[in-house]
Amino acid sequence: MSIKLILDEIAAESSTNQKMVILAKYKDNELLKRVIYLAHSKRVKFYIKQIPEYIFLAKIFDLEEALKELDNFSNRVLTGSEAVFYLNYILSSVLPDDAYVIERIISKDLKIGMGGNINKVF
């Protein structure tokens, strides 16, 4: 199941307890854990204030590979306009659902309405 579908499933639920039950269903999904860590960790910063406009061109990266590429921003290998240009390249090179997940990670908000309750599951 794609990460975006899991996030949508959690976001669609209004009860915090049910959100935790849904998240617990996927607690063995390492990619989901990585997405949540990158989006919620105060230690990881991407230093990009605005998501650039992009158009899906071709699938070059899967989500896992794209997440590794985000290290270029958090480690300050790429900064400024180079970083924005490379983020545009990454977003254009993954499937639209994966691009949405990356946008949510960069903005540090997965929009699932769980806040600190994630730590109770993981």
Side-chain angles (χ1 to χ4, degrees):
M1 180 178 255
S2 84
I3 299 299
K4 182 176 185 307
L5 291 176
I6 294 171
L7 297 177
D8 288 346
E9 181 181 352
I10 295 167
E13 181 58 53
S14 59
S15 163
T16 302
N17 289 334
Q18 278 304 107
K19 287 177 187 273
M20 289 178 12
V21 168
I22 293 168
L23 189 57
K25 255 190 344 188
Y26 302 105
K27 69 180 179 187
D28 295 330
N29 186 325
E30 293 301 319
L31 185 56
L32 177 63
K33 286 181 186 177
R34 177 111 172 105
V35 165
I36 290 172
Y37 172 76
L38 290 174
H40 287 279
S41 174
K42 301 230 184 289
R43 293 181 189 160
V44 179
K45 293 182 168 75
F46 297 105
Y47 307 100
I48 295 177
K49 299 207 183 292
Q50 189 171 358
I51 305 291
E53 294 291 322
Y54 62 93
I55 299 170
F56 174 68
L57 299 174
K59 184 179 183 234
I60 296 172
F61 301 115
D62 63 19
L63 182 59
E64 197 164 350
E65 294 167 332
L67 294 181
K68 288 177 186 165
E69 294 298 317
L70 295 182
D71 289 343
N72 289 314
F73 309 127
S74 60
N75 295 333
R76 306 289 285 164
V77 173
L78 297 171
T79 60
S81 59
E82 283 181 322
V84 172
F85 180 78
Y86 196 65
L87 178 58
N88 182 309
Y89 170 71
I90 292 170
L91 293 171
S92 299
S93 303
V94 294
L95 295 174
D97 282 358
D98 293 342
Y100 174 83
V101 172
I102 292 169
E103 284 183 44
R104 302 280 47 92
I105 291 170
I106 296 289
S107 64
K108 296 298 225 174
D109 183 7
L110 292 177
K111 297 192 185 232
I112 59 174
M114 286 194 71
N117 291 319
I118 290 172
N119 293 334
K120 294 177 183 176
V121 177
F122 291 126

